[in-house]
Amino acid sequence: MEVEPVEPQSLKKLSFKSLKRALDLFSPIHGHLAPPDAESKKIRTSHKVSVEYGGIKSTANQPPHQVSSATQDPGPSNTLALPGPGDSKDSQKGGPQNALVVGPTMPSTTPNDTGFQSKSTAVVSASGSSERNLSTSALMERMPSKWPRPVWHAPWKNYRVISGHLGWVRSVAVDPSNTWFCTGSADRTIKIWDLASGVLKLTLTGHIEQVRGLAVSNRHTYMFSAGDDKQVKCWDLEQNKVIRSYHGHLSGVYCLALHPTIDVLLTGGRDSVCRVWDIRSKMQIHALSGHDNTVCSVFTRPTDPQVVTGSHDTTIKMWDLRYGKTMSTLTNHKKSVRAMAQHPKEQAFASASADNIKKFNLPKGEFLHNMLSQQKTIINAMAVNEEGVMVTGGDNGSMWFWDWKSGHNFQQSQTIVQPGIQVWLLLDD
């Protein structure tokens, strides 16, 4: 194996290397700014700009008699104007002091008197002595933060654990009168509990698979349930029995919601369709198709968009209930949107996914912001109250409390393993 010969270096080259190394080590001006270059100084002074602290001015729209002949150069130079001994004279003449040429902007579309389109150069001016550090942070004026301050909320604590179900609790709904609540479970039963005492009042059977969705009407004495058995049932709470069934889903039903002003029921399931039902006639009004995967969350509102659905295809769709068509599709999430919550007072809603919790404006669905922390789990349930407290529950047993306005996570709790299946009732201190 032949070794390539090393090119011999001349004595002159070695001497220059040694001199440079010695200069870097022992020079008294080490670290000082280099002396100004005459050519760069000429280019710098050719740009007539007004000196403003933190301001940006352009020479594109100035009259021709105020622009130096040097500006007719084919292109502006991205030159860093370094301070030197001549800078004080420039400042006395009204020229820029310690001007930092940032770069060319877009060519101006307004021709000047000479008949050509001039190019403008953005210049950031800085005041101070020649020893001042010319960093970007020193030149920019610090702007105050516009992010809202978190609102203080009282800590929440668990004051009762209710056991009774023999399987996972998959759905919860509270009576509008705030006297009782119902739970649906993987043990195929629906249990009704007294809210004040936590005593079991009633157990309803009828589903042959786990109950995934519950809703209580504020207009009638009806309760609606949906499950993995493809069935959607209407319960008469005066007779405690099923009075109507809504048939049409081709697979399990994962979510349901009641329209706040009209007698309409919405259900979504694994067949990727959100179906709109007339409560009284049991007729299907619309089949809102467009999702590519399971529809696992839905909520309704009295004005357009009256229906909003979230799906495992990572999208959120807003629907026109009159025509049964999509108004808009939100693609901000990267994971399945398993839970959504509408604010009771504001025109906004939040959606939860494994990647993040996001907040959107209504009715157009503009993205507002993410929550400031990540729960790092699959979020299956969320709710918001009128005081601006949002709570999210994950499948790892974690429950996080958020400030709605700022997105700050102010409390975290972890479930305590106990025998049976628990329903937590939370009390705000």
Side-chain angles (χ1 to χ4, degrees):
M1 181 177 180
E2 297 183 0
V3 180
E4 295 183 0
V6 179
E7 181 182 356
Q9 296 184 357
S10 65
L11 181 62
K12 183 179 180 180
K13 190 173 182 180
L14 291 173
S15 301
F16 279 147
K17 277 189 174 183
S18 177
L19 285 172
K20 182 179 182 300
R21 189 177 297 112
L23 181 67
D24 289 341
L25 290 174
F26 304 110
S27 173
I29 61 170
H30 180 70
H32 290 197
L33 294 174
D37 181 44
E39 186 67 24
S40 65
K41 181 180 178 182
K42 184 191 302 183
I43 296 174
R44 183 193 67 189
T45 55
S46 67
H47 297 281
K48 299 297 182 181
V49 295
S50 62
V51 179
E52 274 186 11
Y53 181 76
I56 296 178
K57 292 288 185 179
S58 173
T59 62
N61 299 322
Q62 292 185 359
H65 65 275
Q66 295 183 6
V67 181
S68 173
S69 60
T71 57
Q72 298 181 11
D73 194 75
S77 172
N78 297 343
T79 307
L80 178 64
L82 301 174
D87 284 342
S88 60
K89 298 179 182 178
D90 294 339
S91 61
Q92 294 175 2
K93 296 177 182 179
Q97 183 179 5
N98 299 352
L100 175 64
V101 180
V102 177
T105 60
M106 295 298 291
S108 172
T109 58
T110 305
N112 54 19
D113 293 344
T114 58
F116 67 91
Q117 295 182 354
S118 61
K119 295 182 180 179
S120 61
T121 302
V123 178
V124 179
S125 59
S127 62
S129 63
S130 61
E131 283 80 18
R132 181 169 179 177
N133 184 17
L134 290 174
S135 64
T136 307
S137 60
L139 296 174
M140 293 179 61
E141 184 179 0
R142 185 174 295 276
M143 298 294 292
S145 175
K146 295 182 179 179
W147 195 263
R149 286 180 174 271
V151 179
W152 183 86
H153 298 283
W156 291 66
K157 67 177 182 180
N158 172 31
Y159 78 99
R160 179 179 291 123
V161 177
I162 303 173
S163 300
H165 279 293
L166 301 178
W168 290 356
V169 178
R170 303 307 299 259
S171 54
V172 179
V174 181
D175 170 45
S177 65
N178 217 30
T179 57
W180 56 269
F181 68 97
C182 53
T183 56
S185 171
D187 61 8
R188 301 168 295 180
T189 65
I190 302 170
K191 292 183 181 291
I192 297 178
W193 313 80
D194 183 72
L195 189 59
S197 63
V199 175
L200 177 64
K201 301 175 70 174
L202 186 65
T203 300
L204 302 174
T205 59
H207 282 280
I208 59 176
E209 286 290 342
Q210 57 182 342
V211 181
R212 283 187 174 264
L214 286 173
V216 182
S217 174
N218 59 354
R219 298 160 54 88
H220 309 284
T221 58
Y222 296 156
M223 180 182 68
F224 298 87
S225 63
D228 281 352
D229 52 6
K230 312 177 191 176
Q231 297 184 27
V232 180
K233 296 179 181 293
C234 174
W235 303 79
D236 188 344
L237 297 176
E238 291 180 344
Q239 306 176 46
N240 296 333
K241 67 177 184 180
V242 177
I243 57 172
R244 298 185 187 96
S245 293
Y246 304 90
H247 301 283
H249 276 284
L250 306 178
S251 189
V253 186
Y254 277 30
C255 59
L256 80 165
L258 284 168
H259 197 281
T261 57
I262 57 179
D263 292 335
V264 165
L265 174 69
L266 297 107
T267 56
R270 288 179 58 190
D271 54 6
S272 308
V273 177
C274 178
R275 301 183 187 270
V276 184
W277 309 89
D278 185 346
I279 290 175
R280 296 184 178 275
S281 65
K282 301 184 292 185
M283 294 293 295
Q284 178 178 297
I285 303 172
H286 291 301
L288 306 178
S289 58
H291 283 292
D292 298 329
N293 210 326
T294 302
V295 178
C296 52
S297 54
V298 61
F299 70 86
T300 64
R301 49 196 307 269
T303 57
D304 286 334
Q306 298 185 49
V307 182
V308 181
T309 57
S311 171
H312 284 188
D313 63 6
T314 74
T315 65
I316 299 171
K317 286 185 179 290
M318 299 181 175
W319 303 88
D320 186 345
L321 187 59
R322 177 181 296 180
Y323 300 105
K325 295 182 178 179
T326 306
M327 296 178 65
S328 60
T329 302
L330 309 180
T331 58
N332 302 74
H333 282 287
K334 298 178 182 178
K335 300 288 185 179
S336 302
V337 184
R338 295 175 179 264
M340 295 189 299
Q342 183 183 5
H343 195 279
K345 290 184 177 180
E346 298 180 10
Q347 295 294 316
F349 74 96
S351 58
S353 178
D355 57 355
N356 219 321
I357 302 172
K358 300 179 183 292
K359 199 164 80 173
F360 298 91
N361 196 9
L362 286 171
K364 294 185 178 180
E366 299 100 335
F367 172 72
L368 296 178
H369 62 84
N370 289 328
M371 295 295 133
L372 300 182
S373 305
Q374 286 188 347
Q375 200 164 346
K376 294 182 179 179
T377 184
I378 297 175
I379 298 174
N380 292 313
M382 65 189 309
V384 188
N385 66 4
E386 296 181 354
E387 298 174 356
V389 177
M390 182 174 70
V391 58
T392 55
D395 66 349
N396 61 352
S398 64
M399 187 179 295
W400 285 27
F401 296 85
W402 310 81
D403 174 45
W404 171 267
K405 187 177 181 180
S406 65
H408 170 66
N409 170 233
F410 67 90
Q411 185 178 344
Q412 301 177 13
S413 64
Q414 191 73 24
T415 184
I416 303 171
V417 179
Q418 298 187 20
I421 304 300
Q422 300 91 33
V423 178
W424 282 38
L425 297 180
L426 296 172
L427 177 65
D428 184 5
D429 284 347

